[in-house]
Amino acid sequence: MRPQLIRSSRFAVVLLAILPCFATLVQAGPPLICHPIEIGQAKSLPWISHNWNLNGSENFDTKNLVRDTLEILRPNTPVLVRMETLRRATLYAGKDPVAAKELLARLHARATSAESSGHADALAWFDVGYLTETYKQWIGQSWMRVSKDGHNPATGVDGYALVKKAIGLRGSDPQMEFAAALLTLSGPQEEHHQHALNTIGGAKTDPLLAQNLATRFIGPQSQTMSEMLARNSAAN
C-alpha cells in the first residue's frame, strides 16, 4: 500500500474514534463518555490509554468486568470514582454484550434488594442511574454497537430519575450534583440550573471536584467543565 493511502487510512480510523465526542460537544450533550473524570490515585478499572477511549492494546478480560466493577463500587467509594469507573466499564462493556447486560442487572438487583430490606442505598441507586445514562451514550449508537441489532440493556430505563432518587436519599452531595448536572446538560433546564449551582457551590470545599471543574471537556480549546455548566445555567 502506498504511503499516502496508509496515512489516509490512519486518519480515517482516528476520525471515527473521536467523532462521537465532537458530536457530543456540538450538541452540548452530557459528556459521560468523552470526558474522563479526575480521581487522583483512587483505584478504578485498569486504564492504559492516554485519552478518553480504549487504545486497542488493553488485555483486560471482560469476563471479569462485573466482578471487578462491583468490587470497586463499595460504600466508601467517592462518587467521582464511581463516575469514572462506570465510564470505563461502559467502554469495556461495548465489547461484550453479555457483560454489559449482567453488570446493569447486578447493580439494579443490589439497589432493589437494599430497598426491599428497608435500607434504601443512595449510592446503589446512583450507580444504576449513572450507568444507564452512560450506556445510552455509547452502546447501540451508530459508532459502537454492542450486538448486531444494537440492543442496549438500558433502553427504557430513566437513569436521571434514579440519580435524582439517589440525591434525595443521600442529601447534600456536590459530587452527585455534578453527575446530575452532566446528565441534564440538554435538559430539563430548571433541574440542570439547580444541579449546576449546587455543584459549583460545593466545589469550594471539595478540592477534587474543583479540579474536575477546572478540566477542559475535550482538547485545550474547549470550555472547562465549570464554564460549560455556568454557560448552560445562564442560558436557562
mmCIF file of all heavy atoms in Angstrom, residues 71-112:
data_model
loop_
_atom_site.group_PDB
_atom_site.id
_atom_site.type_symbol
_atom_site.label_atom_id
_atom_site.label_comp_id
_atom_site.label_asym_id
_atom_site.label_seq_id
_atom_site.Cartn_x
_atom_site.Cartn_y
_atom_site.Cartn_z
ATOM 1 N N GLU A 71 -16.537 -4.756 42.899
ATOM 2 C CA GLU A 71 -15.515 -4.685 43.945
ATOM 3 C C GLU A 71 -15.093 -3.240 44.201
ATOM 4 O O GLU A 71 -14.826 -2.845 45.340
ATOM 5 C CB GLU A 71 -14.302 -5.520 43.535
ATOM 6 C CG GLU A 71 -13.126 -5.454 44.502
ATOM 7 C CD GLU A 71 -13.416 -6.080 45.855
ATOM 8 O OE1 GLU A 71 -14.340 -6.924 45.941
ATOM 9 O OE2 GLU A 71 -12.738 -5.720 46.831
ATOM 10 N N ILE A 72 -15.050 -2.444 43.145
ATOM 11 C CA ILE A 72 -14.655 -1.038 43.285
ATOM 12 C C ILE A 72 -15.783 -0.197 43.869
ATOM 13 O O ILE A 72 -15.544 0.715 44.671
ATOM 14 C CB ILE A 72 -14.216 -0.474 41.919
ATOM 15 C CG1 ILE A 72 -12.932 -1.169 41.453
ATOM 16 C CG2 ILE A 72 -14.004 1.036 41.988
ATOM 17 C CD1 ILE A 72 -12.595 -0.924 40.008
ATOM 18 N N LEU A 73 -17.010 -0.505 43.497
ATOM 19 C CA LEU A 73 -18.160 0.305 43.922
ATOM 20 C C LEU A 73 -18.611 -0.064 45.335
ATOM 21 O O LEU A 73 -19.754 -0.471 45.568
ATOM 22 C CB LEU A 73 -19.309 0.145 42.924
ATOM 23 C CG LEU A 73 -18.998 0.573 41.484
ATOM 24 C CD1 LEU A 73 -20.210 0.340 40.588
ATOM 25 C CD2 LEU A 73 -18.555 2.028 41.423
ATOM 26 N N ARG A 74 -17.717 0.112 46.271
ATOM 27 C CA ARG A 74 -18.018 -0.156 47.672
ATOM 28 C C ARG A 74 -18.690 1.063 48.306
ATOM 29 O O ARG A 74 -18.652 2.162 47.746
ATOM 30 C CB ARG A 74 -16.728 -0.489 48.429
ATOM 31 C CG ARG A 74 -16.098 -1.818 48.017
ATOM 32 C CD ARG A 74 -14.716 -1.990 48.614
ATOM 33 N NE ARG A 74 -14.187 -3.324 48.368
ATOM 34 C CZ ARG A 74 -14.221 -4.312 49.245
ATOM 35 N NH1 ARG A 74 -14.767 -4.111 50.434
ATOM 36 N NH2 ARG A 74 -13.720 -5.493 48.949
ATOM 37 N N PRO A 75 -19.265 0.895 49.498
ATOM 38 C CA PRO A 75 -19.951 2.025 50.146
ATOM 39 C C PRO A 75 -19.059 3.236 50.413
ATOM 40 O O PRO A 75 -19.550 4.370 50.455
ATOM 41 C CB PRO A 75 -20.454 1.409 51.460
ATOM 42 C CG PRO A 75 -20.625 -0.038 51.146
ATOM 43 C CD PRO A 75 -19.496 -0.370 50.217
ATOM 44 N N ASN A 76 -17.752 3.010 50.590
ATOM 45 C CA ASN A 76 -16.860 4.134 50.900
ATOM 46 C C ASN A 76 -16.194 4.728 49.659
ATOM 47 O O ASN A 76 -15.335 5.601 49.769
ATOM 48 C CB ASN A 76 -15.787 3.696 51.900
ATOM 49 C CG ASN A 76 -14.899 2.584 51.352
ATOM 50 O OD1 ASN A 76 -15.260 1.917 50.386
ATOM 51 N ND2 ASN A 76 -13.749 2.381 51.972
ATOM 52 N N THR A 77 -16.583 4.279 48.479
ATOM 53 C CA THR A 77 -16.004 4.809 47.246
ATOM 54 C C THR A 77 -16.656 6.138 46.887
ATOM 55 O O THR A 77 -17.882 6.216 46.766
ATOM 56 C CB THR A 77 -16.201 3.817 46.079
ATOM 57 O OG1 THR A 77 -15.571 2.574 46.412
ATOM 58 C CG2 THR A 77 -15.594 4.359 44.797
ATOM 59 N N PRO A 78 -15.864 7.207 46.706
ATOM 60 C CA PRO A 78 -16.433 8.525 46.377
ATOM 61 C C PRO A 78 -17.202 8.504 45.058
ATOM 62 O O PRO A 78 -16.937 7.682 44.178
ATOM 63 C CB PRO A 78 -15.190 9.424 46.279
ATOM 64 C CG PRO A 78 -14.138 8.721 47.074
ATOM 65 C CD PRO A 78 -14.402 7.262 46.876
ATOM 66 N N VAL A 79 -18.124 9.423 44.922
ATOM 67 C CA VAL A 79 -18.969 9.480 43.731
ATOM 68 C C VAL A 79 -18.138 9.715 42.468
ATOM 69 O O VAL A 79 -18.400 9.109 41.420
ATOM 70 C CB VAL A 79 -20.049 10.567 43.883
ATOM 71 C CG1 VAL A 79 -20.790 10.794 42.565
ATOM 72 C CG2 VAL A 79 -21.041 10.170 44.974
ATOM 73 N N LEU A 80 -17.136 10.583 42.527
ATOM 74 C CA LEU A 80 -16.313 10.842 41.343
ATOM 75 C C LEU A 80 -15.617 9.573 40.862
ATOM 76 O O LEU A 80 -15.506 9.332 39.655
ATOM 77 C CB LEU A 80 -15.270 11.923 41.644
ATOM 78 C CG LEU A 80 -15.814 13.346 41.813
ATOM 79 C CD1 LEU A 80 -14.699 14.284 42.274
ATOM 80 C CD2 LEU A 80 -16.430 13.863 40.512
ATOM 81 N N VAL A 81 -15.164 8.752 41.783
ATOM 82 C CA VAL A 81 -14.524 7.487 41.412
ATOM 83 C C VAL A 81 -15.557 6.547 40.807
ATOM 84 O O VAL A 81 -15.277 5.810 39.853
ATOM 85 C CB VAL A 81 -13.842 6.843 42.630
ATOM 86 C CG1 VAL A 81 -13.195 5.514 42.251
ATOM 87 C CG2 VAL A 81 -12.791 7.785 43.209
ATOM 88 N N ARG A 82 -16.756 6.564 41.328
ATOM 89 C CA ARG A 82 -17.829 5.742 40.774
ATOM 90 C C ARG A 82 -18.123 6.176 39.336
ATOM 91 O O ARG A 82 -18.307 5.345 38.437
ATOM 92 C CB ARG A 82 -19.095 5.860 41.638
ATOM 93 C CG ARG A 82 -18.889 5.540 43.099
ATOM 94 C CD ARG A 82 -20.159 5.721 43.917
ATOM 95 N NE ARG A 82 -20.841 4.442 44.100
ATOM 96 C CZ ARG A 82 -20.572 3.592 45.080
ATOM 97 N NH1 ARG A 82 -19.640 3.879 45.972
ATOM 98 N NH2 ARG A 82 -21.225 2.450 45.179
ATOM 99 N N MET A 83 -18.163 7.486 39.099
ATOM 100 C CA MET A 83 -18.443 8.001 37.759
ATOM 101 C C MET A 83 -17.393 7.532 36.753
ATOM 102 O O MET A 83 -17.722 7.075 35.655
ATOM 103 C CB MET A 83 -18.496 9.532 37.792
ATOM 104 C CG MET A 83 -19.686 10.094 38.559
ATOM 105 S SD MET A 83 -19.519 11.869 38.926
ATOM 106 C CE MET A 83 -19.577 12.576 37.274
ATOM 107 N N GLU A 84 -16.122 7.648 37.111
ATOM 108 C CA GLU A 84 -15.060 7.241 36.193
ATOM 109 C C GLU A 84 -15.040 5.728 36.007
ATOM 110 O O GLU A 84 -14.819 5.231 34.896
ATOM 111 C CB GLU A 84 -13.703 7.735 36.694
ATOM 112 C CG GLU A 84 -12.508 7.284 35.859
ATOM 113 C CD GLU A 84 -12.549 7.751 34.404
ATOM 114 O OE1 GLU A 84 -13.370 8.639 34.058
ATOM 115 O OE2 GLU A 84 -11.756 7.213 33.602
ATOM 116 N N THR A 85 -15.292 4.993 37.076
ATOM 117 C CA THR A 85 -15.331 3.534 36.973
ATOM 118 C C THR A 85 -16.453 3.090 36.041
ATOM 119 O O THR A 85 -16.266 2.198 35.198
ATOM 120 C CB THR A 85 -15.520 2.908 38.367
ATOM 121 O OG1 THR A 85 -14.399 3.256 39.193
ATOM 122 C CG2 THR A 85 -15.627 1.391 38.279
ATOM 123 N N LEU A 86 -17.614 3.712 36.154
ATOM 124 C CA LEU A 86 -18.743 3.353 35.298
ATOM 125 C C LEU A 86 -18.515 3.800 33.855
ATOM 126 O O LEU A 86 -18.988 3.149 32.914
ATOM 127 C CB LEU A 86 -20.032 3.949 35.862
ATOM 128 C CG LEU A 86 -20.453 3.360 37.224
ATOM 129 C CD1 LEU A 86 -21.594 4.160 37.833
ATOM 130 C CD2 LEU A 86 -20.839 1.888 37.079
ATOM 131 N N ARG A 87 -17.782 4.885 33.665
ATOM 132 C CA ARG A 87 -17.418 5.311 32.307
ATOM 133 C C ARG A 87 -16.521 4.257 31.658
ATOM 134 O O ARG A 87 -16.747 3.837 30.512
ATOM 135 C CB ARG A 87 -16.694 6.662 32.358
ATOM 136 C CG ARG A 87 -16.414 7.294 30.989
ATOM 137 C CD ARG A 87 -15.480 8.488 31.111
ATOM 138 N NE ARG A 87 -14.112 8.045 31.336
ATOM 139 C CZ ARG A 87 -13.263 7.696 30.363
ATOM 140 N NH1 ARG A 87 -13.642 7.740 29.097
ATOM 141 N NH2 ARG A 87 -12.037 7.304 30.648
ATOM 142 N N ARG A 88 -15.495 3.826 32.392
ATOM 143 C CA ARG A 88 -14.592 2.802 31.859
ATOM 144 C C ARG A 88 -15.335 1.485 31.640
ATOM 145 O O ARG A 88 -15.119 0.802 30.628
ATOM 146 C CB ARG A 88 -13.421 2.590 32.825
ATOM 147 C CG ARG A 88 -12.537 3.813 32.999
ATOM 148 C CD ARG A 88 -11.400 3.536 33.976
ATOM 149 N NE ARG A 88 -10.635 4.745 34.266
ATOM 150 C CZ ARG A 88 -9.547 4.786 35.020
ATOM 151 N NH1 ARG A 88 -9.087 3.666 35.571
ATOM 152 N NH2 ARG A 88 -8.911 5.927 35.235
ATOM 153 N N ALA A 89 -16.201 1.144 32.582
ATOM 154 C CA ALA A 89 -16.964 -0.098 32.461
ATOM 155 C C ALA A 89 -17.810 -0.095 31.193
ATOM 156 O O ALA A 89 -17.942 -1.118 30.509
ATOM 157 C CB ALA A 89 -17.854 -0.289 33.688
ATOM 158 N N THR A 90 -18.373 1.055 30.856
ATOM 159 C CA THR A 90 -19.195 1.160 29.649
ATOM 160 C C THR A 90 -18.364 0.922 28.397
ATOM 161 O O THR A 90 -18.802 0.236 27.465
ATOM 162 C CB THR A 90 -19.865 2.541 29.584
ATOM 163 O OG1 THR A 90 -20.728 2.697 30.714
ATOM 164 C CG2 THR A 90 -20.681 2.703 28.306
ATOM 165 N N LEU A 91 -17.164 1.470 28.359
ATOM 166 C CA LEU A 91 -16.301 1.269 27.195
ATOM 167 C C LEU A 91 -15.913 -0.198 27.053
ATOM 168 O O LEU A 91 -15.893 -0.746 25.949
ATOM 169 C CB LEU A 91 -15.057 2.152 27.310
ATOM 170 C CG LEU A 91 -15.327 3.649 27.114
ATOM 171 C CD1 LEU A 91 -14.122 4.478 27.539
ATOM 172 C CD2 LEU A 91 -15.685 3.951 25.667
ATOM 173 N N TYR A 92 -15.610 -0.851 28.164
ATOM 174 C CA TYR A 92 -15.312 -2.284 28.109
ATOM 175 C C TYR A 92 -16.565 -3.084 27.745
ATOM 176 O O TYR A 92 -16.500 -4.047 26.971
ATOM 177 C CB TYR A 92 -14.769 -2.768 29.454
ATOM 178 C CG TYR A 92 -13.332 -2.386 29.727
ATOM 179 C CD1 TYR A 92 -12.986 -1.639 30.844
ATOM 180 C CD2 TYR A 92 -12.307 -2.787 28.872
ATOM 181 C CE1 TYR A 92 -11.666 -1.294 31.109
ATOM 182 C CE2 TYR A 92 -10.984 -2.449 29.119
ATOM 183 C CZ TYR A 92 -10.670 -1.703 30.240
ATOM 184 O OH TYR A 92 -9.360 -1.360 30.494
ATOM 185 N N ALA A 93 -17.707 -2.689 28.305
ATOM 186 C CA ALA A 93 -18.955 -3.409 28.047
ATOM 187 C C ALA A 93 -19.370 -3.317 26.590
ATOM 188 O O ALA A 93 -20.080 -4.192 26.082
ATOM 189 C CB ALA A 93 -20.067 -2.857 28.938
ATOM 190 N N GLY A 94 -18.925 -2.264 25.904
ATOM 191 C CA GLY A 94 -19.243 -2.130 24.492
ATOM 192 C C GLY A 94 -18.663 -3.247 23.651
ATOM 193 O O GLY A 94 -19.078 -3.454 22.508
ATOM 194 N N LYS A 95 -17.713 -3.987 24.218
ATOM 195 C CA LYS A 95 -17.091 -5.105 23.509
ATOM 196 C C LYS A 95 -17.678 -6.447 23.930
ATOM 197 O O LYS A 95 -17.310 -7.482 23.380
ATOM 198 C CB LYS A 95 -15.581 -5.104 23.794
ATOM 199 C CG LYS A 95 -14.874 -3.829 23.374
ATOM 200 C CD LYS A 95 -13.524 -3.659 24.052
ATOM 201 C CE LYS A 95 -12.622 -4.846 23.890
ATOM 202 N NZ LYS A 95 -11.289 -4.628 24.510
ATOM 203 N N ASP A 96 -18.562 -6.436 24.926
ATOM 204 C CA ASP A 96 -19.070 -7.692 25.483
ATOM 205 C C ASP A 96 -20.530 -7.522 25.896
ATOM 206 O O ASP A 96 -20.821 -7.070 27.005
ATOM 207 C CB ASP A 96 -18.215 -8.084 26.693
ATOM 208 C CG ASP A 96 -18.533 -9.474 27.220
ATOM 209 O OD1 ASP A 96 -19.671 -9.941 27.026
ATOM 210 O OD2 ASP A 96 -17.645 -10.089 27.841
ATOM 211 N N PRO A 97 -21.481 -7.870 25.027
ATOM 212 C CA PRO A 97 -22.902 -7.669 25.329
ATOM 213 C C PRO A 97 -23.387 -8.446 26.542
ATOM 214 O O PRO A 97 -24.283 -7.995 27.253
ATOM 215 C CB PRO A 97 -23.609 -8.121 24.048
ATOM 216 C CG PRO A 97 -22.626 -8.980 23.334
ATOM 217 C CD PRO A 97 -21.278 -8.428 23.676
ATOM 218 N N VAL A 98 -22.797 -9.603 26.795
ATOM 219 C CA VAL A 98 -23.203 -10.394 27.960
ATOM 220 C C VAL A 98 -22.807 -9.674 29.241
ATOM 221 O O VAL A 98 -23.600 -9.539 30.179
ATOM 222 C CB VAL A 98 -22.568 -11.800 27.914
ATOM 223 C CG1 VAL A 98 -22.871 -12.564 29.201
ATOM 224 C CG2 VAL A 98 -23.079 -12.578 26.708
ATOM 225 N N ALA A 99 -21.574 -9.189 29.280
ATOM 226 C CA ALA A 99 -21.106 -8.454 30.456
ATOM 227 C C ALA A 99 -21.889 -7.161 30.642
ATOM 228 O O ALA A 99 -22.197 -6.765 31.773
ATOM 229 C CB ALA A 99 -19.616 -8.155 30.323
ATOM 230 N N ALA A 100 -22.217 -6.493 29.537
ATOM 231 C CA ALA A 100 -22.979 -5.242 29.614
ATOM 232 C C ALA A 100 -24.325 -5.472 30.286
ATOM 233 O O ALA A 100 -24.727 -4.726 31.194
ATOM 234 C CB ALA A 100 -23.177 -4.664 28.215
ATOM 235 N N LYS A 101 -25.014 -6.494 29.862
ATOM 236 C CA LYS A 101 -26.336 -6.798 30.420
ATOM 237 C C LYS A 101 -26.234 -7.228 31.877
ATOM 238 O O LYS A 101 -27.020 -6.791 32.730
ATOM 239 C CB LYS A 101 -27.001 -7.898 29.591
ATOM 240 C CG LYS A 101 -28.411 -8.238 30.038
ATOM 241 C CD LYS A 101 -29.028 -9.284 29.117
ATOM 242 C CE LYS A 101 -30.452 -9.617 29.545
ATOM 243 N NZ LYS A 101 -31.071 -10.619 28.630
ATOM 244 N N GLU A 102 -25.250 -8.068 32.181
ATOM 245 C CA GLU A 102 -25.116 -8.580 33.546
ATOM 246 C C GLU A 102 -24.748 -7.477 34.528
ATOM 247 O O GLU A 102 -25.258 -7.440 35.655
ATOM 248 C CB GLU A 102 -24.060 -9.685 33.600
ATOM 249 C CG GLU A 102 -23.929 -10.306 34.990
ATOM 250 C CD GLU A 102 -22.835 -11.350 35.085
ATOM 251 O OE1 GLU A 102 -22.220 -11.671 34.044
ATOM 252 O OE2 GLU A 102 -22.585 -11.827 36.204
ATOM 253 N N LEU A 103 -23.876 -6.569 34.121
ATOM 254 C CA LEU A 103 -23.458 -5.506 35.030
ATOM 255 C C LEU A 103 -24.641 -4.630 35.435
ATOM 256 O O LEU A 103 -24.840 -4.344 36.622
ATOM 257 C CB LEU A 103 -22.370 -4.646 34.383
ATOM 258 C CG LEU A 103 -21.886 -3.455 35.215
ATOM 259 C CD1 LEU A 103 -21.340 -3.920 36.562
ATOM 260 C CD2 LEU A 103 -20.830 -2.665 34.447
ATOM 261 N N LEU A 104 -25.436 -4.212 34.468
ATOM 262 C CA LEU A 104 -26.589 -3.373 34.788
ATOM 263 C C LEU A 104 -27.586 -4.138 35.652
ATOM 264 O O LEU A 104 -28.145 -3.590 36.612
ATOM 265 C CB LEU A 104 -27.258 -2.888 33.504
ATOM 266 C CG LEU A 104 -28.389 -1.867 33.687
ATOM 267 C CD1 LEU A 104 -27.881 -0.612 34.395
ATOM 268 C CD2 LEU A 104 -28.996 -1.497 32.336
ATOM 269 N N ALA A 105 -27.787 -5.410 35.337
ATOM 270 C CA ALA A 105 -28.731 -6.227 36.105
ATOM 271 C C ALA A 105 -28.267 -6.406 37.548
ATOM 272 O O ALA A 105 -29.073 -6.325 38.488
ATOM 273 C CB ALA A 105 -28.906 -7.588 35.434
ATOM 274 N N ARG A 106 -26.976 -6.630 37.733
ATOM 275 C CA ARG A 106 -26.446 -6.829 39.088
ATOM 276 C C ARG A 106 -26.543 -5.548 39.912
ATOM 277 O O ARG A 106 -26.868 -5.583 41.106
ATOM 278 C CB ARG A 106 -24.999 -7.307 39.007
ATOM 279 C CG ARG A 106 -24.828 -8.732 38.498
ATOM 280 C CD ARG A 106 -25.206 -9.759 39.561
ATOM 281 N NE ARG A 106 -24.333 -9.676 40.716
ATOM 282 C CZ ARG A 106 -23.144 -10.280 40.800
ATOM 283 N NH1 ARG A 106 -22.688 -10.998 39.770
ATOM 284 N NH2 ARG A 106 -22.420 -10.180 41.890
ATOM 285 N N LEU A 107 -26.256 -4.421 39.294
ATOM 286 C CA LEU A 107 -26.356 -3.156 40.017
ATOM 287 C C LEU A 107 -27.806 -2.863 40.397
ATOM 288 O O LEU A 107 -28.089 -2.391 41.504
ATOM 289 C CB LEU A 107 -25.789 -2.013 39.170
ATOM 290 C CG LEU A 107 -24.268 -2.004 38.985
ATOM 291 C CD1 LEU A 107 -23.852 -0.861 38.064
ATOM 292 C CD2 LEU A 107 -23.548 -1.896 40.320
ATOM 293 N N HIS A 108 -28.720 -3.151 39.484
ATOM 294 C CA HIS A 108 -30.136 -2.927 39.777
ATOM 295 C C HIS A 108 -30.610 -3.859 40.887
ATOM 296 O O HIS A 108 -31.354 -3.444 41.798
ATOM 297 C CB HIS A 108 -30.970 -3.135 38.517
ATOM 298 C CG HIS A 108 -32.414 -2.762 38.686
ATOM 299 N ND1 HIS A 108 -33.381 -3.677 39.044
ATOM 300 C CD2 HIS A 108 -33.047 -1.562 38.570
ATOM 301 C CE1 HIS A 108 -34.551 -3.062 39.132
ATOM 302 N NE2 HIS A 108 -34.381 -1.789 38.849
ATOM 303 N N ALA A 109 -30.177 -5.107 40.842
ATOM 304 C CA ALA A 109 -30.568 -6.073 41.869
ATOM 305 C C ALA A 109 -30.039 -5.651 43.236
ATOM 306 O O ALA A 109 -30.727 -5.805 44.259
ATOM 307 C CB ALA A 109 -30.044 -7.460 41.502
ATOM 308 N N ARG A 110 -28.840 -5.105 43.267
ATOM 309 C CA ARG A 110 -28.258 -4.650 44.529
ATOM 310 C C ARG A 110 -29.078 -3.505 45.125
ATOM 311 O O ARG A 110 -29.343 -3.474 46.334
ATOM 312 C CB ARG A 110 -26.813 -4.200 44.304
ATOM 313 C CG ARG A 110 -26.088 -3.821 45.575
ATOM 314 C CD ARG A 110 -24.644 -3.461 45.312
ATOM 315 N NE ARG A 110 -24.496 -2.258 44.500
ATOM 316 C CZ ARG A 110 -23.332 -1.649 44.291
ATOM 317 N NH1 ARG A 110 -22.222 -2.159 44.801
ATOM 318 N NH2 ARG A 110 -23.270 -0.557 43.556
ATOM 319 N N ALA A 111 -29.500 -2.585 44.273
ATOM 320 C CA ALA A 111 -30.273 -1.435 44.747
ATOM 321 C C ALA A 111 -31.658 -1.854 45.234
ATOM 322 O O ALA A 111 -32.123 -1.407 46.293
ATOM 323 C CB ALA A 111 -30.397 -0.399 43.634
ATOM 324 N N THR A 112 -32.335 -2.701 44.470
ATOM 325 C CA THR A 112 -33.686 -3.120 44.851
ATOM 326 C C THR A 112 -33.666 -4.014 46.088
ATOM 327 O O THR A 112 -34.576 -3.957 46.918
ATOM 328 C CB THR A 112 -34.379 -3.852 43.692
ATOM 329 O OG1 THR A 112 -33.561 -4.947 43.251
ATOM 330 C CG2 THR A 112 -34.609 -2.909 42.524
#
